[in-house]
Amino acid sequence: MSRTFVIVMDDVKISIDTGAIISTRDFYNEVGKRYEDAFSHDAGLQRILERFLSLLPSNASVLDVGCGTGKPVSSMIAGSGRKPYGIDFSATMVELSKKQIPQGVFQSCNMLRYAPPSPSDFEGIIANLSLFGLSRAELTSMAHNSSSGSSLVASY
């Protein structure tokens, strides 16, 4: 049985056809660059990021939770002179991030299990479109594992 998976946001649609049910991770691995092409040009998000980054020290390290391909979030962090550190559970997305933002550090991992090596590693944390599928308990757990004293921007 063929399955079609679709992401629709702001009148942009990405779909893939598969022969079976696939995991969310496999979906994002399959979508890859098409996701960036569809969603990386959000002017409202760019304004939010500019404002957020202006509140951080010029040499801040910023965690991008669910970094995807690195665009636009990690690329804006790097472009501002700050250090992006991205995590995503899609290895395909992480590889695209590494290629596109060489000044960043990117890691493939499950955001629910990620804990920064030190509680003060990041001055800022951004989670753009990566939290919508999480339960309240999962969000609470992530908050407890995050860097203490960090500023957070979350959109979904």
Side-chain angles (χ1 to χ4, degrees), residues 20-41:
I21 295 173
I22 62 172
S23 70
T24 304
R25 179 179 313 187
D26 289 342
F27 175 81
Y28 283 104
N29 282 336
E30 177 68 27
V31 169
K33 184 93 168 83
R34 289 182 289 163
Y35 186 88
E36 173 187 311
D37 293 341
F39 301 115
S40 69
H41 310 289

Side-chain angles (χ1 to χ4, degrees), residues 45 49 52 61-77 83-89 94 97 101 105-107 109 111 114 122 124-130 142 153:
L45 173 61
L49 291 173
F52 176 68
S61 292
V62 183
L63 178 63
D64 183 0
V65 178
C67 64
T69 67
K71 292 186 177 179
V73 176
S74 284
S75 65
M76 286 187 69
I77 294 167
K83 178 77 172 172
Y85 189 98
I87 60 171
D88 200 292
F89 73 161
V94 168
S97 292
I101 300 101
V105 175
F106 299 93
Q107 176 184 347
C109 69
M111 69 177 140
Y114 177 78
F122 304 107
I125 301 172
I126 298 174
N128 180 53
L129 302 176
S130 57
M142 279 185 65
V153 169

Side-chain angles (χ1 to χ4, degrees), residues 89-109:
F89 73 161
S90 166
T92 299
M93 297 287 200
V94 168
E95 287 308 310
L96 286 167
S97 292
K98 288 177 179 179
K99 288 177 185 171
Q100 299 186 123
I101 300 101
Q103 60 275 55
V105 175
F106 299 93
Q107 176 184 347
S108 181
C109 69

Side-chain angles (χ1 to χ4, degrees), residues 104-141:
V105 175
F106 299 93
Q107 176 184 347
S108 181
C109 69
N110 182 329
M111 69 177 140
L112 295 174
R113 294 186 188 92
Y114 177 78
S118 168
S120 60
D121 279 351
F122 304 107
E123 289 83 11
I125 301 172
I126 298 174
N128 180 53
L129 302 176
S130 57
L131 305 178
F132 57 85
L134 301 181
S135 69
R136 180 173 288 185
E138 290 168 328
L139 289 170
T140 301
S141 174

